[in-house]
Amino acid sequence: MVAESRHSRMVTRTVDLRSDSVTKPTEAMRAAMANAEVDDDVFGHDPSALRLETEMAKIMGKEAALFVPSGTMSNLISVLVHCSIRGSEVILGNKSHIHIYENGGISTIGGVHPRSVKNNEDGTMDIDLIEAAIRDPRGEIVYPTTRLICLENSHTSCGGRCLSVEYTDRVGALAKKHGLKLHIDGARIFNASVALGVPVSRLVQDADSVSVCLSKGLGAPVGSVIVGSKSFVAKARILRKTLGGGMRQVGVLCAAALVAVQENVSKLEDDHKKAKMLAEGLNRIKGLRVNVAAVETNIVYFDVVKGAAEKLCKNLEQHGILIMQESPIRCV
């Protein structure tokens, strides 16, 4: 709510649209954290962590799951498990989060070479371009060895667009044809599931591993989960320790994350409706332009007339509305 007078403007509530990562824990989450059963998770004994991991594996339709501190770590671990030999190559989108926003960790820490393929506006990569990017094994004397394909669903830099089951299945079939693994960066996979009306387990059926962020739209204070086979997660657990992600009595965090999964997935549809409403409203304002049809989940990108972005962001902040000053501007 914003209260105004002729001479002063007093903000009584802040609306923070910078990201879906700026949530605050609910009372139910705080209560769960206060009462969480804990033990040493590095030894695999924390009951709250085990409860969350068991539930996430079941929801995602995979054998096992592992709680990690962040989405960046979850993707890094997943890539390193699949590409354990230095000089391996991963095929990913040129606008993917792993490629742009994760500090180049797969290269600097893992010695993995990224081969980017153009992302279309809907977040997909053309199947024929993916296949063309797979290295010919006969050229291994000079080429890196392709071992992994990465998809992102929903796709952040493409405006939260969703990859369909049919598309993901085709990429999965291509990976199997060439003996490659498929990893899905599912930071917002529950948003994609809700928007498409498809169970999340079906969306990731063909994936060998999936990273799922619990601290974005689901609202947990910290953490992501990696899911995959038992052997994959066993290797991931070792890498988590190597990267400093073994957090002992982590059940305090996992208890809040379990509440997020159980209570907040059903609320994502409302987020999507609000995002669409915001997009339609912004599009009616002179000087702003939004591709309303492209708003499928909880992310809205819009263009402003040249040179007006900084002024707009500052003006909105004075009214208690926070947005990211990017080009185009992003609201989540």
Side-chain angles (χ1 to χ4, degrees):
M1 297 288 290
V2 177
E4 293 188 57
S5 71
R6 284 182 61 188
H7 303 293
S8 66
R9 187 178 291 122
M10 182 179 68
V11 175
T12 58
R13 180 186 172 196
T14 298
V15 177
D16 196 337
L17 301 176
R18 291 174 300 163
S19 176
D20 48 4
S21 63
V22 298
T23 57
K24 303 291 190 293
T26 63
E27 288 304 314
M29 289 181 199
R30 292 179 186 274
M33 293 171 79
N35 297 304
E37 281 186 273
V38 297
D39 203 323
D40 193 327
D41 184 50
V42 173
F43 298 147
H45 296 158
D46 190 294
S48 296
L50 291 170
R51 203 170 295 127
L52 172 68
E53 290 165 351
T54 301
E55 180 68 10
M56 285 302 296
K58 180 181 173 184
I59 290 170
M60 303 301 292
K62 302 298 180 186
E63 289 181 354
L66 182 70
F67 182 81
V68 297
S70 71
T72 293
M73 186 183 283
S74 67
N75 283 327
L76 177 59
I77 288 172
S78 298
V79 172
L80 298 194
V81 171
H82 294 309
C83 300
S84 57
I85 301 171
R86 293 181 72 85
S88 298
E89 189 166 74
V90 53
I91 295 170
L92 36 55
N94 69 325
K95 293 184 178 180
S96 66
H97 200 277
I98 295 174
H99 190 48
I100 300 174
Y101 298 112
E102 299 183 8
N103 302 104
I106 63 171
S107 300
T108 57
I109 295 172
V112 178
H113 189 261
R115 189 166 203 198
S116 63
V117 172
K118 180 180 178 291
N119 277 119
N120 299 314
E121 288 186 3
D122 63 358
T124 63
M125 298 174 280
D126 290 347
I127 301 289
D128 58 343
L129 292 181
I130 297 175
E131 188 159 30
I134 299 171
R135 303 288 186 177
D136 187 336
R138 293 171 298 182
E140 65 181 0
I141 192 70
V142 290
Y143 295 146
T145 301
T146 308
R147 287 196 165 86
L148 177 65
I149 301 171
C150 291
L151 298 177
E152 184 176 333
N153 197 14
S154 63
H155 201 292
T156 309
S157 292
C158 292
R161 302 291 291 273
C162 304
L163 306 186
S164 69
V165 168
E166 295 76 18
Y167 175 79
T168 307
D169 285 354
R170 288 179 66 200
V171 177
L174 178 67
K176 286 182 176 65
K177 173 184 170 184
H178 291 275
L180 309 178
K181 299 297 185 182
L182 173 62
H183 172 68
I184 295 178
D185 175 0
R188 296 179 176 87
I189 194 70
F190 282 101
N191 290 90
S193 169
V194 168
L196 294 169
V198 176
V200 69
S201 57
R202 179 64 188 90
L203 266 187
V204 302
Q205 182 176 289
D206 273 10
D208 296 285
S209 60
V210 187
S211 61
V212 184
C213 189
L214 304 176
S215 63
K216 290 189 170 69
L218 296 182
V222 177
S224 288
V225 169
I226 310 168
V227 298
S229 67
K230 288 180 181 177
S231 62
F232 169 86
V233 168
K235 293 172 185 174
R237 185 178 292 277
I238 296 168
L239 273 169
R240 182 185 70 174
K241 187 71 171 68
T242 305
L243 295 170
M247 296 188 292
R248 306 298 179 186
Q249 285 73 30
V250 76
V252 173
L253 298 176
C254 291
L258 186 59
V259 172
V261 172
Q262 292 173 338
E263 296 187 0
N264 289 347
V265 174
S266 61
K267 298 175 185 177
L268 296 178
E269 186 176 4
D270 191 48
D271 287 351
H272 299 172
K273 287 177 181 176
K274 287 174 180 172
K276 182 70 87 169
M277 190 186 307
L278 176 63
E280 290 168 347
L282 289 170
N283 209 36
R284 288 195 290 268
I285 299 173
K286 186 179 179 182
L288 305 184
R289 189 173 71 253
V290 185
N291 181 359
V292 177
V295 178
E296 296 178 354
T297 53
N298 64 330
I299 299 175
V300 179
Y301 281 101
F302 66 93
D303 294 300
V304 299
V305 292
K306 193 174 180 181
E310 184 177 358
K311 183 179 178 183
L312 175 64
C313 291
K314 285 182 178 177
N315 193 35
L316 287 172
E317 187 172 356
Q318 289 173 1
H319 286 78
I321 300 167
L322 306 180
I323 59 174
M324 290 281 235
Q325 189 185 320
E326 300 178 325
S327 183
I329 290 175
R330 188 183 81 162
C331 298
V332 187

